[in-house]
Amino acid sequence: MTDVLDPHPSAFVAMANETDNRKKPNVRVETRPRLETSFIPVPGTNDEQFQKDFPAYTGGLVYSNPGQYVVMPEYSKKAEIVYNLKPRPDDVYILTFPKCGTTWMQELVWLAIHNCDFEKAKTPLNIRSPFLEMNYMLPKVLTDKYERDAIVYQTGIPGISKFLEILDYWNLRDVLRPHVKKLVNMVCGHVMRDVEEMEQMSETRIIKSHLPLYLLNPELLNTSKVVYVARNPKDVLVSYFHYHKLIHFHQFTGDLETFADYFMSDKVYASPFFPHLMDAWSKRHHPNMLFVFYEDLKRDLRGEIQKVVRFLGKSVSEEQLTKLTEHLRVDQFAKNEAVNYEVCKELGFMNNSGHFIRKGKTGDWKNHFSPELNARIDLWIESNLKGTDLSFITELDQQD
């Protein structure tokens, strides 16, 4: 007698077919864009001389293909995660090549969005306005170190440094990552948000990035507002040189002329300079894009503030505009502890000599370039701008 609890295998087939034939609910499956990019070592960045000039770059540098955008090797492993951050209609992205006025514009946009709330603006800017790719750019050993140092600095709890070192030694930090993150966020604020944390933000996101548009979500410009800030390459080169001397994980040991050679041959992080700008320049007429020149901010800060505020669909009173203009003047801005990152010196992120916000002057390059170096840079600029309608102001008679 056949056991009724042991049906013939054909019965299972019939049951499966019956299940498949039932009407299934329409479930929308969200598809994520795929980043069709590979990353290739930048030739020469593992050579002895480059490693001597950039001792922190133990793995050299890599560039995207296509695009040739130069990044740390660590980023190539996470590029698709960043690419897939879904833009929102109320997002505002601040995009720049480094040292083009990013921090300046972040503060301007944040205050415009938040009705000039100068009290809340005392919260560190990197908490109010996250740096999109920062969490994915550094080697893990450095992010763990910075995370540990930040906890130690902010808590002052005896023995916590040793406890965190033990976690690292036994590779337990990743296992306990959610709890460590909670601790970091509790004592330091959301200093280095990852993409998952940015996705959880409920407020208007004002996101900073040095990535070119083609490494960001392809829906960005059709969805969110983008403010792109460009600066003349001569002052960028000087400012970027000092920045590479200041920041611990860049740790450049050479002189300005050597750095200029690396800059013009696309062997520094975030290079090449001109393709980054030209990509945004070609999209400057898009209704969601505002292309701003640093030099215009310097010669008419009040007028440029009004332009940005209008672009964001906001308004400010005359009193607010006057206060905002004064708040953003470079000499005042450099003293603002919420934006000048001086605390990073105590955390070991920056060297004690120099400042994150340095001079902010248009034309400061004249104090640094020899006639020979200036002539070489002029030729480099001319060859890259040939056939384009983009031009730069490199000197100002009067500036804010």
Side-chain angles (χ1 to χ4, degrees):
M1 182 175 176
T2 305
D3 192 334
V4 293
L5 297 178
D6 185 23
H8 191 274
S10 60
F12 288 109
V13 176
M15 289 167 63
N17 288 338
E18 183 181 348
T19 302
D20 285 344
N21 290 332
R22 289 176 188 158
K23 188 175 180 181
K24 296 179 180 178
N26 290 325
V27 178
R28 184 181 176 185
V29 178
E30 184 177 350
T31 58
R32 290 180 175 268
R34 182 169 177 76
L35 178 60
E36 302 292 345
T37 300
S38 60
F39 289 87
I40 301 167
V42 176
T45 59
N46 280 303
D47 292 353
E48 183 179 350
Q49 186 58 53
F50 185 89
Q51 289 291 310
K52 183 180 178 182
D53 291 333
F54 292 95
Y57 295 173
T58 54
L61 295 169
V62 298
Y63 67 79
S64 65
N65 183 35
Q68 286 71 56
Y69 182 73
V70 176
V71 292
M72 317 295 182
E74 193 71 20
Y75 180 74
S76 64
K77 306 169 191 174
K78 307 291 185 180
E80 191 146 7
I81 294 174
V82 175
Y83 186 74
N84 276 304
L85 177 64
K86 188 174 181 180
R88 301 174 186 167
D90 65 337
D91 284 344
V92 183
Y93 278 65
I94 315 297
L95 304 185
T96 70
F97 187 90
K99 308 314 294 178
C100 287
T102 326
T103 307
W104 207 14
M105 185 56 70
Q106 280 177 279
E107 182 77 346
L108 193 171
V109 168
W110 191 92
L111 283 163
I113 292 290
H114 292 88
N115 196 31
C116 293
D117 191 333
F118 293 98
E119 190 60 35
K120 286 186 178 177
K122 291 178 181 177
T123 301
L125 181 61
N126 58 334
I127 295 174
R128 292 180 279 129
S129 174
F131 186 175
L132 175 56
E133 65 270 20
M134 182 63 181
N135 207 44
Y136 304 100
M137 199 58 79
L138 304 181
K140 184 176 179 298
V141 64
L142 270 183
T143 55
D144 284 351
K145 177 187 182 301
Y146 291 158
E147 199 174 68
R148 183 174 66 243
D149 291 349
I151 293 173
V152 172
Y153 174 79
Q154 291 285 356
T155 63
I157 299 173
I160 194 166
S161 178
K162 181 58 66 177
F163 170 69
L164 293 169
E165 284 177 15
I166 292 170
L167 289 183
D168 289 340
Y169 180 81
W170 292 104
N171 293 320
L172 290 173
R173 183 86 74 95
D174 286 341
V175 176
L176 299 173
R177 175 67 59 187
H179 305 288
V180 173
K181 271 285 187 187
K182 283 181 182 178
L183 178 59
V184 171
N185 293 340
M186 180 177 70
V187 299
C188 307
H190 292 267
V191 177
M192 282 177 64
R193 283 186 174 95
D194 57 25
V195 163
E196 184 179 354
E197 289 172 306
M198 290 186 208
E199 288 173 339
Q200 293 168 357
M201 291 175 68
S202 58
E203 67 269 32
T204 296
R205 301 183 304 185
I206 300 166
I207 298 174
K208 158 189 172 177
S209 179
H210 294 314
L211 295 172
L213 282 162
Y214 59 82
L215 288 179
L216 297 170
N217 192 297
E219 292 302 314
L220 173 60
L221 202 50
N222 289 326
T223 306
S224 310
K225 290 191 179 296
V226 175
V227 180
Y228 189 97
V229 188
R231 188 182 188 185
N232 83 80
K234 291 186 175 184
D235 283 322
V236 171
L237 196 159
V238 170
S239 186
Y240 210 24
F241 164 71
H242 286 287
Y243 176 79
H244 275 75
K245 289 283 193 181
L246 177 68
I247 302 299
H248 180 263
F249 65 81
H250 287 303
Q251 205 176 338
F252 180 66
T253 62
D255 57 19
L256 175 62
E257 189 144 348
T258 302
F259 184 82
D261 288 336
Y262 285 131
F263 188 87
M264 291 188 285
S265 60
D266 306 334
K267 290 182 180 177
V268 296
Y269 159 61
S271 59
F273 175 79
F274 284 102
H276 196 296
L277 270 68
M278 294 307 303
D279 187 19
W281 181 250
S282 69
K283 299 173 176 65
R284 67 191 183 280
H285 299 304
H286 192 289
N288 279 343
M289 167 75 83
L290 179 65
F291 196 101
V292 178
F293 284 101
Y294 182 96
E295 292 73 24
D296 289 338
L297 287 161
K298 288 295 297 177
R299 62 183 173 183
D300 183 15
L301 180 57
R302 186 184 181 93
E304 292 300 297
I305 289 172
Q306 290 174 306
K307 184 191 296 184
V308 172
V309 169
R310 284 195 301 270
F311 171 72
L312 297 173
K314 301 294 181 178
S315 61
V316 291
S317 67
E318 279 297 314
E319 182 183 353
Q320 286 175 321
L321 180 58
T322 299
K323 191 171 181 180
L324 186 52
T325 303
E326 188 60 29
H327 177 81
L328 292 172
R329 291 196 190 283
V330 174
D331 56 344
Q332 291 294 115
F333 198 62
K335 300 173 190 174
N336 185 346
E337 292 183 356
V339 302
N340 65 17
Y341 296 108
E342 286 294 301
V343 69
C344 290
K345 293 179 179 179
E346 299 179 55
L347 295 173
F349 301 173
M350 298 192 322
N351 297 319
N352 286 325
S353 58
H355 302 281
F356 182 79
I357 299 172
R358 207 173 55 87
K359 293 183 180 179
K361 294 289 185 185
T362 295
D364 185 48
W365 59 269
K366 292 184 292 183
N367 299 316
H368 293 78
F369 294 171
S370 66
E372 294 78 16
L373 178 57
N374 188 49
R376 287 202 296 122
I377 292 171
D378 280 341
L379 285 173
W380 172 70
I381 293 172
E382 183 183 350
S383 66
N384 278 279
L385 291 181
K386 189 176 182 179
T388 77
D389 58 351
L390 178 62
S391 61
F392 295 100
I393 293 170
T394 59
E395 299 179 55
L396 287 173
D397 293 331
Q398 208 170 6
Q399 51 189 298
D400 287 331

